[in-house]
Amino acid sequence: MSQTAGYTGKILRVNLSSGEISTTSSEVYTDRFLGGRGVALKIHWDEVPEHVSAFDPENRLVITTGPVCGLPGLSGSRWQVTGKSPVHNQFSYCNLGGHLGARLKFAGYDGLIIHGKADQLCYLLIDDDKLELKEASQLMGKGAITTREELKNDLGSGFSVAAVGAAGENKVVFSTLLSDLDSSGSNGLGSVMGSKNLKAIAVRGTGGVTVADKDKIHSLRSRLREFRVERSTWPTFLPDERMKKEACFGCIGGCSRAAYQAADGQTGKYVCQSAYWYEIRAQRYYGEVNEVPFKANKLCDDYGLDTRCVETMIMWLSRCHKTGILTEEATGLPLSRLGSIEFVETLLRKISLREGFGDILAEGTLKAAESVGRGSEKLITDYMVSSGENNVYEPRLYITTGIFYAMEPRMPIHQLHEVSRLVLQWTAQARGIRDTYMTSDVVRAIARKFFGDEIAVDFSTYDGKAKTAARIQDREYAEECLILCDFSWPMLHSPVSEDHVGDPALDSQVCAAVTGMDIDEKELYRIGERAFNLQRVILAREGKKGRENDSLGEFNFTVPLRGDYGNPECLVPGKDGEIFSRKGMVLKRDGFERMKDEFYEIRGWDPATGLQTRAKLEDLDLMDIAEKAEAEGLLA
C-alpha cells in the first residue's frame, strides 16, 4: 500500500472477537469520499447489515481522519467516530478534537475499524507499527479521565488516549468517549465502545504527513491567519484568572476553547454547553458563584455521560418532581436539592452504574418517561429533541435549520452553526452589545457569496431556505470529509478585507494543495453531496425512509418561541436586513412542507415521497450504491 499526499494509505482493522489485527488500503474509500464522514459511511454501508443492532458485535465502531489531519495551522485535525447508535438504532456520528487524530495519522493509519467483542475488558495499544490488545481488568469501573491519566502515566505522555467510563461499560444509551484535552464524543457511541469490552485506545505515532504542494500550503497558512478573529475564553461567572486557553493539534487560533483550574488543582475543559448546563441551577441553589458547575462537568466527563442529555433529563426530572409524579423516596434522588453537588453526584452515579431508578434513566429521557407514565411524557416539551439533546438553533427561529434537524439522526451542530453563528454576530451588533463590522449589509453580502442569495438571511420568509439548506449541507459534509474544524471553517467573514466577506474557495484550495487533486469549490461540494446522499441511503435502510420520516417535534408547529440563549428577543435579519423578531412565532406547517418540496426537487429526489432516485445516485458516481439500494427497495 503506497502513501500518497495527505494519506498514509492504510486503515487499521481490529477484530476484538478473534484478536486479529490487520490493515486494508484506504485508497478504495478516499478516491470518492476523501476521508472522515464519507469514508466512514462507505465502511458502514459495506459492513453493517440492517439487522445488526447497536450492541451487536458486528456493529462497526469506525474512527476516521481526513487528508488535512496532522498538518499544523489548518485546523483540520479533528477525528470522527461513527457506528450504529443505540439512541435510534441507526447510523450516527460524533466529532472530536485534541491530538488523537493526528497521532493516529502519525502512527501510519488513516482510520481504524473495530468490530467484534472481546472476551474480557481490554484496551488497544497503537504505537507506530506495534499493535496490541492488552488486558484491562485493572481499569474496570474506572472513570474515563482516570483511565486516560493512568494509561498515560504507564505508557508515556506522548500517547493520546480515548476511553469510556462506567457509563460506557454499562451501556448507558447516552454515554460518551473521552480523549485528551477532555475532547468528548457523544450520541451513545461510548456505549458501543463499551459493549465491545473495549475500555480505551492509546495511540502514539512518530511519522508525519506529506503534502502535494508545500509552497501553496505555506501561502494558505498565511492567508488563513488573516481570517483569525481573536476570541476570549468562554464567558463564565468563574474566575477568569483560572481559565486558560487550549488548542487542538494544528489549530489556526481564535477558538474560545479553554480549561479551568479549580481551587483543589483539578483541571479540565470548560467551554460551550458543557460549561453552562449546571451554572444557573447551582447559583440558584447556593445563592453564589462556586465551582460546582465545573465539578458537575468533570463528573459527566469521568463517568462518560453526554452533558446535553443530562441537561434535558434534569429539566424533565425537575418538572416531574414539582408535579408530584416523581418523589425522592421512589427515585432515591435528592430532587429537592437540585443544583447542589450532592444531587448531581447521586444522579450521575445511579445512571452510570444503573443503580435503582438510574437503570430506567440510563435508557434516556424518552424511554424513562414511557416507563414512568402518569403524564410524565407530556412534561417533555420544546427543550429537547428526539435524540435527547437540548434544542438549540431551532427552526422556529432560523427556519432553514428545520431541514437539517429533519434529515439527521442527531443534532447536526456543524450545519446549525453556519446559520446561527452568522446571525448571532449580527444580533450582537444590532442590539448594541458589540460594535463589529457584522452589519446587515455585510451579512447579506456573505449570504450572496456563500448561500447563493441574500434571501437566505431574510428570516421573515420561507423563500430560499431549501436552497440555502442544500448549499450548507454540501459544504459541511465536504468539510466533515476533510475533516475541518467547525470553529474555524468555513471562513464566512474576514476582519481585514474591505467588504468583510470571507472566501468559500479556501476549503477546496486547502484540499488541492494537500492532496494534489484537481479540485475546485464546485467539485468539493459535489463530494459533500455524495457523502450526504450515501448517509441518506443508509438511514433509509435502517428505517428512516423518505418524506414521512423527514419530520420535526410537534412543538415546532404548536408552541410559540419564548426566547433563545444569547438572543432573548429572538432578533434576526428580516426583509432588506431590517431587524425582525420571531419571538412568539411557530414554524408554519405548510411553509415547512413547501420547503421540503423545494428541497427534494433541488436534490433530484422524488418530490412526492422524498425517496432518492437511481438516476441521482448514479450522477453522483454512486452506481454500486444505487444498484444495491434499488434491489433493497430503498429508492423511488
Side-chain angles (χ1 to χ4, degrees):
M1 287 173 277
S2 60
Q3 179 176 346
T4 57
Y7 300 99
T8 69
K10 295 185 295 183
I11 292 177
L12 190 63
R13 284 185 175 273
V14 179
N15 185 331
L16 294 171
S17 296
S18 66
E20 180 184 358
I21 301 177
S22 61
T23 60
T24 189
S25 172
S26 55
E27 292 178 6
V28 299
Y29 304 108
T30 57
D31 62 340
R32 284 187 290 176
F33 299 105
L34 285 180
R37 178 86 61 81
V39 168
L41 284 162
K42 183 60 166 64
I43 293 167
H44 191 92
W45 171 260
D46 289 343
E47 302 185 23
V48 183
E50 177 187 356
H51 68 271
V52 167
S53 67
F55 297 145
D56 191 308
E58 287 306 302
N59 187 17
R60 268 37 171 191
L61 189 71
V62 180
I63 294 175
T64 47
T65 66
V68 185
C69 185
L71 297 171
L74 301 176
S75 287
S77 291
R78 306 288 296 185
W79 48 289
Q80 293 233 336
V81 182
T82 63
K84 186 173 280 191
S85 164
V87 175
H88 294 305
N89 205 37
Q90 293 176 337
F91 172 88
S92 196
Y93 50 85
C94 58
N95 183 317
L96 299 87
H99 298 82
L100 189 141
R103 283 175 171 155
L104 183 64
K105 196 86 166 281
F106 297 156
Y109 309 102
D110 293 316
L112 170 61
I113 304 170
I114 301 168
H115 72 285
K117 179 180 179 179
D119 292 334
Q120 58 184 353
L121 198 67
C122 67
Y123 75 90
L124 174 63
L125 176 68
I126 302 172
D127 191 1
D128 286 332
D129 57 359
K130 179 184 177 183
L131 309 168
E132 291 184 76
L133 285 170
K134 300 180 74 70
E135 194 260 346
S137 60
Q138 76 280 8
L139 299 172
M140 185 175 294
K142 292 188 176 181
I145 294 175
T146 303
T147 297
R148 180 188 69 202
E149 297 311 312
E150 286 192 9
L151 286 178
K152 287 172 74 73
N153 286 337
D154 290 344
L155 299 171
S157 60
F159 278 84
S160 284
V161 177
V164 297
E169 289 184 44
N170 292 313
K171 294 183 281 193
V172 175
V173 166
F174 51 99
S175 64
T176 62
L177 58 152
L178 193 80
S179 189
D180 50 308
L181 302 187
D182 290 346
S183 301
S184 60
S186 58
N187 215 228
L189 293 171
S191 64
V192 174
M193 186 166 160
S195 75
K196 296 182 177 299
N197 269 338
L198 183 62
K199 182 67 175 177
I201 302 166
V203 184
R204 180 172 65 180
T206 58
V209 182
T210 62
V211 298
D213 191 333
K214 291 182 179 180
D215 291 338
K216 183 64 174 177
I217 287 294
H218 180 75
S219 173
L220 281 167
R221 282 197 189 104
S222 299
R223 177 87 196 283
L224 294 176
R225 282 194 290 271
E226 295 177 359
F227 286 82
R228 173 179 170 176
V229 179
E230 282 292 344
R231 295 184 178 93
S232 61
T233 54
W234 183 258
T236 175
F237 293 109
L238 294 177
D240 187 64
E241 62 270 18
R242 291 186 175 273
M243 300 289 290
K244 182 179 180 181
K245 294 188 71 173
E246 284 187 326
C248 301
F249 186 93
C251 183
I252 294 172
C255 169
S256 58
R257 183 187 182 101
Y260 179 78
Q261 184 175 47
D264 64 4
Q266 184 181 17
T267 302
K269 185 182 75 173
Y270 199 67
V271 66
C272 203
Q273 183 274 342
S274 67
Y276 70 68
W277 69 273
Y278 207 60
E279 279 196 342
I280 299 300
R281 293 191 182 276
Q283 287 171 39
R284 285 175 183 166
Y285 182 83
Y286 291 100
E288 65 178 11
V289 173
N290 59 31
E291 294 182 340
V292 166
F294 171 73
K295 294 296 183 180
N297 189 17
K298 291 307 101 186
L299 282 169
C300 281
D301 283 347
D302 205 31
Y303 277 121
L305 290 171
D306 184 352
T307 56
R308 292 189 182 278
C309 296
V310 171
E311 179 183 11
T312 56
M313 181 171 284
I314 289 176
M315 292 180 181
W316 175 73
L317 287 170
S318 176
R319 286 158 175 78
C320 287
H321 181 237
K322 288 177 182 177
T323 54
I325 294 173
L326 294 176
T327 65
E328 294 186 334
E329 293 73 22
T331 62
L333 298 171
L335 294 166
S336 62
R337 302 176 68 186
L338 202 155
S340 69
I341 189 64
E342 292 80 12
F343 169 79
V344 77
E345 283 176 337
T346 304
L347 174 67
L348 301 183
R349 185 190 72 248
K350 283 184 172 293
I351 293 172
S352 300
L353 302 182
R354 289 185 172 267
E355 290 181 353
F357 189 64
D359 190 42
I360 294 174
L361 297 178
E363 296 300 315
T365 303
L366 288 174
K367 289 188 178 179
E370 289 178 12
S371 297
V372 170
R374 295 187 291 155
S376 65
E377 64 278 3
K378 295 179 182 178
L379 300 178
I380 301 173
T381 59
D382 59 347
Y383 57 83
M384 191 180 85
V385 295
S386 63
S387 60
E389 297 163 295
N390 58 327
N391 182 29
V392 295
Y393 311 132
E394 56 168 286
R396 289 179 295 179
L397 180 60
Y398 294 107
I399 302 178
T400 311
T401 61
I403 293 290
F404 304 151
Y405 270 114
M407 301 287 163
E408 296 289 332
R410 62 161 302 168
M411 176 201 297
I413 192 66
H414 300 82
Q415 297 166 44
L416 301 175
H417 275 161
E418 256 205 59
V419 179
S420 63
R421 282 220 183 102
L422 190 64
V423 175
L424 284 171
Q425 290 179 68
W426 171 89
T427 302
Q429 166 76 15
R431 293 171 61 198
I433 295 174
R434 285 199 305 269
D435 184 15
T436 72
Y437 54 74
M438 201 59 72
T439 64
S440 291
D441 287 342
V442 171
V443 168
R444 293 165 71 198
I446 290 171
R448 287 193 297 270
K449 194 165 188 177
F450 280 83
F451 307 142
D453 196 318
E454 65 184 42
I455 202 169
V457 289
D458 175 1
F459 296 99
S460 67
T461 178
Y462 289 74
D463 294 344
K465 302 305 179 287
K467 178 182 177 182
T468 302
R471 181 74 67 92
I472 289 173
Q473 283 171 330
D474 290 348
R475 177 164 46 242
E476 287 297 334
Y477 268 77
E479 292 183 355
E480 291 284 276
C481 291
L482 280 171
I483 308 166
L484 298 177
C485 177
D486 173 42
F487 277 106
S488 296
W489 296 86
M491 305 288 180
L492 292 175
H493 57 93
S494 168
V496 296
S497 65
E498 186 175 345
D499 62 2
H500 296 299
V501 178
D503 187 352
L506 286 170
D507 314 46
S508 56
Q509 290 172 11
V510 166
C511 182
V514 171
T515 66
M517 295 179 181
D518 183 14
I519 193 168
D520 58 12
E521 183 182 345
K522 182 178 179 181
E523 181 57 30
L524 182 64
Y525 293 170
R526 179 176 166 82
I527 292 171
E529 184 183 8
R530 183 180 299 143
F532 173 68
N533 271 266
L534 178 51
Q535 180 170 297
R536 178 82 171 178
V537 177
I538 288 173
L539 293 177
R541 183 170 67 179
E542 296 177 352
K544 187 177 170 63
K545 295 182 180 180
R547 186 179 202 113
E548 62 184 285
N549 292 122
D550 292 336
S551 58
L552 298 170
E554 183 63 16
F555 67 80
N556 288 282
F557 309 105
T558 58
V559 179
L561 181 62
R562 290 168 292 180
D564 186 66
Y565 181 78
N567 187 7
E569 294 305 312
C570 307
L571 301 181
V572 289
K575 186 177 180 181
D576 299 326
E578 294 297 317
I579 296 175
F580 179 78
S581 174
R582 291 194 60 86
K583 192 169 187 175
M585 293 188 176
V586 298
L587 188 68
K588 292 181 179 178
R589 204 179 302 272
D590 60 346
F592 180 60
E593 292 302 319
R594 286 199 310 271
M595 281 170 58
K596 284 161 64 175
D597 289 340
E598 185 180 350
F599 183 84
Y600 297 148
E601 289 278 6
I602 291 169
R603 285 297 183 200
W605 303 344
D606 177 56
T609 64
L611 294 175
Q612 294 161 287
T613 64
R614 177 165 186 152
K616 183 59 182 179
L617 293 179
E618 289 183 344
D619 177 62
L620 290 170
D621 194 22
L622 294 172
M623 284 76 74
D624 51 334
I625 311 296
E627 183 175 353
K628 191 173 180 181
E630 187 172 56
E632 294 181 13
L634 303 177
L635 306 181

